[in-house]
Amino acid sequence: MSAPGESGREALNRVWAQPRGWRYFSEVNNTAVGLWYLAAGLGFFAVAGVLALLMRLQLAWPWMGFLGPEAYNQVFTMHGTIMMVVFAVPIMEAVAVYVLPQMLGVRDLPFPRLSSYGFWCYLLGGLLLLSSFLFGPVPNGGWFMYTPLSGPEYTPGLNTDFWLLGLTFIEISAVAACIELIVGIMKTRAPGMSLDRMPILGWAFLTVAVMILFAFPPLLLGDVLLEAERVLDWPFFDAGRGGDPLLWQHLFWFFGHPEVYIIFLPGAAMVSTILPTFCGRPLVGHQWVVVATIATGILSFGLWVHHMFAAGIPLLSLSLFSAASMAVAIPSGIQVFAWLATLWGARPRWDTPFLFVIGFLVIFVIGGLTGVMVASVPFDWQVTDTHFVVAHFHYVLIGGAIFPLFGALTYWFPLPSGRLMDETVGKWSFWLMFVGFNVTFFPLHVLGLLGMPRRVYTYPGGLGWEWLNLTATIGAFVLGAGVAVFFANLAWSWKRGRPAGHDPWKAGTLEWAGPTPLTDSGGASVPRVRSLHPLWDQPAEMAAAARGEALMCRPTTHGRETLRVSAVSAEPQQVIQVSGPGWSQVAAAAATAVMFGAGTFHLWGVAAAGGVVTLALLTRWAWHSDRQPPMARVDIGQGIVVPTYAADHSSHAWWAAVVAVLFDGAAYLALLSAYVFLWLVNPVWPPPPWEGRIALGDILAGGGMLAVAAVLAHAGAGLHRRGRHWALPAGLGGAVAVAVAVAWTGLSTLTAADLGPTRHAFPATVWVMALYTLVHLGVATLLALLVLARQAAGLVTPVRRMTVMMTVLAWDFAAFTGLASMAMLVLWPATGGGGGICTW
Amino acid sequence: MVSLRDATLVVAAPGLWFGYFLLVYGVHALACRFLWPSGPVLAAVTALTAAALAAEAWPLRRLARIEPAGFYRAAGLGLGALSLLATLWVAATSWMVPPCG
């Protein structure tokens, strides 16, 4: 709402103004957070690049003594980990956080504080991982951290723990980004931007966010199990006590392979964005590129075992995953043909972003072809663990991600800076990178075919490997010089580049609708979209929107706000009030870092204190959520009136809760899969000491109580919605009481059954399943207490009840997964003819 | 107007393929553990998946009436065709290779 005499634009500038000075870092808006993400990501990329140069120096000539074997192990582990986990995935999230709101035509994504929390966790996690260089125990087990090498027996120091620490933070930031992107893309777009009018970049990030939703939970579970094995001696991966090292490989690669596509799909979408602009025509086969993007995303989940072809798995498994690995070439091929068709007959402008796109096409196609080669099991057996594989995945990842990313950074540089990067220097950086890259990595194909293994710190002379290695090292420094020139251009052009003006590339998508640099509010008004390329097809309407003559041209609820629309057709549904600057997300991230950092050093008291502070800060955060502005409905312009609050299944908050539960559910499915896997590899499951140790009646009673708790929560929420205020404390209070009883009886039963978790993988897995349920009952209990406190403070009413809906969802999930775990324990071993843990 | 349910239907086919893929992998693992014959189960699962993919494509016809541009229908049919291809591709593998070698 504007102050008297204040124009709409002045009011927008006031509510969206970024804090100045050191308070700038309390900002949560995507235009600030996205830039920080990008800067941090590029910083980590530079560190990992220097590590790569150290490796190439060491391998330049036989018997080099520049790095010893231990240092080499540390350097290649950190290079891989930083590049894959700390740089590649987060930098794509960074592009999404920065560019998507502009491209989708909205002022902000729905959960800016969550994005900011994700960023601070990411930054602290990356720095903690790097701090291992200061403290000494640098991770040294490879970026995949295979067991048993990474287990307590072979890596007794903190090396693996630092790796797990870094990954924990990346997982937190990935979950935050996944929720923000799925809900943001589905629920906050410009009116009229139905899914068929959504740019490819939106589709790619939607696909990628869904992939994160299902790919990261198995890694999260693997991390928990590995840390439990290292700290508590629970033998999930110890073959001598019923575990299996291959379990780690399955969990890791179920994340690790889709991760390649999590990195590649946004890169491909950047190409699909830049190419049409420079060709001056729409992307040929837009819908087929959408199809290919979705198909690639889902197919990528059926490929994980191709990283384990040499691990000794059954023949049919090899064949199944080989077939799936080849099949993924089809959707990738569709995209390549769409790009070639767009290029066909066009007269493109050969500016730097376009050069990077062409570089991508050349390099990625070569990487794709060698990908089909290594998808063939006999060929893979020959080249596995050789430099051929190193060459292949660098062609795919640098070609598929770095070249498009650098092209995209050049392309979108005017948005934050208002300037263009220097074209001559840009072309120099491209050619140095392109030539340097190929001189580095093409010889590695030959080295691999000659038999040079990867992950060796040196090699003897006389094998014909010398000049190829020397060539690769020279190429690496040329590539490094290209990257350095690019960074210098970035820094120089930020202040001194040529002013970009309006839409410098003559693009068709919405991020170029306003002036450059972007204003804090993201635009004077929100346009109505009627085309896939609104700037090409609706120039007059876009110009009017840039003048502030479309929707939401002034704040209507006293604060920062964005528009929620229907998921498919993008019709306006609600004005959402979003968070403004504050420090709670920074403090919560710092407390989270203290909790996990101290835990890594086994400082349990400090870790517990960090945990309590984290919980307190998150509770405070939750307390101030579910806001209901005083005005029930507002006019957003052109006669459109929408509500300012909604607590139903179309709400963005509900969608976020569902996405979070799906993530949690995927982790739970991974846990059940781990249980089944261990059952398969053990000849007897459960082992004789634990057969018939628990009475069936005890399990049935526990299951019954869980169901009662969920029913009580539902009943309380349902009656409260009908105006019976007393029902909420009665229902949720009853559920909490039952949960306490379940926890008590469950722990008593497991203790009485003598399920010592260090003795065998079976009791360890049973304990993890039980603790999973207990933790979720604990979360549901905390949410119930929060809701009751909010009700007492007048913040929960039969209308304002989103937190109630979320709490009931938490009870449902805790009860469902608890019941599923009990059913698994009772029924699964019995189907295999074993005795089972229960006495019937 | 295209509903969220329609849009979900459009992207359902690759999900069906993924379910099929995991099922084949799981059936094979169980069959090898207990020395069950997996052929009939795999044949039934493949036939069911192919039928499900065909059945999933049928309601997409409705989209032609409510969506003149044809985006969702084409995307749904494209994903269905790719999924069917991937299903048959995986099925062929499981017929040609001895399961427990």
Side-chain angles (χ1 to χ4, degrees), chain A residues 696-718:
Chain A
L696 181 62
D698 289 348
I699 290 192
L700 290 179
M705 285 196 286
L706 278 176
V708 167
V711 168
L712 283 172
H714 265 282

Side-chain angles (χ1 to χ4, degrees), chain A residues 363-734:
Chain A
I363 295 171
F364 176 73
V365 167
I366 295 174
L369 289 174
T370 54
V372 176
M373 290 165 75
V374 291
S376 165
V377 178
F379 185 83
D380 183 84
W381 279 347
Q382 293 302 312
V383 296
T384 197
D385 268 341
T386 71
H387 271 74
F388 187 92
V389 178
V390 179
H392 157 67
F393 69 70
H394 280 88
Y395 264 82
V396 170
L397 290 172
I398 295 186
I402 302 296
F403 273 75
L405 176 71
F406 277 36
L409 289 175
T410 315
Y411 178 72
W412 282 312
F413 184 76
L415 293 181
S417 69
R419 296 175 186 278
L420 291 162
M421 286 176 71
D422 187 273
E423 202 40 43
T424 309
V425 182
K427 284 178 175 154
W428 268 99
S429 66
F430 166 75
W431 284 111
L432 283 169
M433 285 178 67
F434 185 76
V435 172
F437 171 82
N438 284 290
V439 172
T440 307
F441 291 103
F442 199 83
L444 299 192
H445 291 110
V446 185
L447 273 171
L449 293 174
L450 289 174
M452 181 173 174
R454 57 195 286 211
R455 305 187 199 101
V456 289
Y457 85 105
T458 191
Y459 52 93
L463 295 172
W465 300 349
E466 296 92 333
W467 69 272
L468 287 165
N469 270 301
L470 187 60
T471 306
T473 301
I474 292 168
F477 278 86
V478 175
L479 173 59
V483 174
V485 169
F486 184 89
F487 281 1
N489 192 10
L490 208 63
W492 186 88
S493 302
W494 190 266
K495 291 284 183 195
R496 297 182 182 83
R498 190 161 54 86
H502 171 72
D503 192 9
W505 309 113
K506 307 292 175 239
T509 40
L510 274 183
E511 74 273 25
W512 300 104
T516 60
L518 292 174
T519 57
D520 293 343
S521 62
S525 64
V526 174
R528 180 171 275 282
V529 171
R530 303 175 208 283
S531 153
L532 189 57
H533 305 97
L535 265 65
W536 289 346
D537 301 334
Q538 308 168 242
E541 285 174 84
M542 294 304 123
R547 291 193 302 270
E549 295 167 9
L551 304 173
M552 297 186 74
C553 54
R554 62 179 64 244
T556 53
T557 62
H558 299 298
R560 294 181 175 190
E561 56 197 28
T562 194
L563 188 63
R564 172 166 75 81
V565 296
S566 59
V568 178
S569 53
E571 289 308 314
Q573 288 184 328
Q574 182 196 345
V575 164
I576 306 170
Q577 207 175 66
V578 296
S579 306
W583 292 102
S584 62
Q585 74 284 355
V586 185
T592 312
V594 169
M595 176 173 66
F596 287 117
T600 301
F601 286 99
H602 301 179
L603 303 171
W604 302 120
V606 182
V612 170
V613 175
T614 305
L615 197 60
L617 288 166
L618 293 179
T619 305
R620 181 173 176 274
W621 184 355
W623 183 268
H624 294 290
S625 63
D626 196 25
R627 278 174 274 191
Q628 186 181 23
M631 57 294 287
R633 301 176 75 79
V634 290
D635 185 344
I636 59 170
Q638 300 179 353
I640 300 173
V641 177
V642 290
T644 58
Y645 182 82
D648 55 35
H649 290 168
S650 72
S651 158
H652 61 293
W654 177 253
W655 276 58
V658 170
V659 171
V661 163
L662 284 174
F663 186 92
D664 204 346
Y668 180 69
L669 277 179
L671 176 58
L672 292 190
S673 304
Y675 179 86
V676 172
F677 179 83
L678 291 173
W679 168 74
L680 275 170
V681 298
N682 276 277
V684 183
W685 187 269
W690 294 288
E691 270 188 28
R693 295 304 293 261
I694 298 177
L696 181 62
D698 289 348
I699 290 192
L700 290 179
M705 285 196 286
L706 278 176
V708 167
V711 168
L712 283 172
H714 265 282
L719 289 169
H720 174 256
R721 188 181 175 186
R722 292 186 196 97
R724 313 237 167 94
H725 295 277
W726 56 267
L728 198 58
L732 292 180

Side-chain angles (χ1 to χ4, degrees), chain A residues 196 287 298 317 319-320 323 679, chain B residues 14 25 28 33 71 74 89-90 93:
Chain A
D196 54 323
Q287 64 200 25
I298 296 178
S317 301
S319 308
L320 284 178
W679 168 74
Chain B
Y25 187 48
H28 150 66
R33 162 87 193 254
F71 173 84
W89 183 239
V90 167
T93 310

Side-chain angles (χ1 to χ4, degrees), chain A residues 2-18:
Chain A
S2 311
E6 192 180 37
S7 72
R9 190 169 301 189
E10 287 167 344
L12 280 173
N13 288 340
R14 175 172 50 77
V15 299
W16 287 94
Q18 292 183 351

Side-chain angles (χ1 to χ4, degrees), chain A residues 354-368:
Chain A
F354 186 74
L355 283 178
F356 275 107
V357 164
I358 297 301
F360 153 86
L361 270 173
V362 173
I363 295 171
F364 176 73
V365 167
I366 295 174

Side-chain angles (χ1 to χ4, degrees), chain A residues 245-324:
Chain A
L246 281 185
L247 173 60
W248 170 262
Q249 293 198 27
H250 280 290
L251 291 172
F252 182 83
W253 288 117
F254 194 84
F255 146 81
H257 195 78
E259 193 212 3
V260 172
Y261 292 90
I262 287 171
I263 296 164
F264 162 68
L265 286 177
M270 289 168 194
V271 170
S272 296
T273 306
I274 295 171
L275 199 66
T277 299
F278 283 83
C279 290
R281 61 201 292 191
L283 180 71
V284 172
H286 166 84
Q287 64 200 25
W288 294 108
V289 176
V290 172
V291 165
T293 302
I294 297 169
T296 305
I298 296 178
L299 272 171
S300 73
F301 281 92
L303 312 185
W304 82 92
V305 169
H306 81 207
H307 294 270
M308 301 160 61
F309 278 167
I313 50 179
L315 195 56
L316 184 59
S317 301
L318 296 178
S319 308
L320 284 178
F321 284 91
S322 175

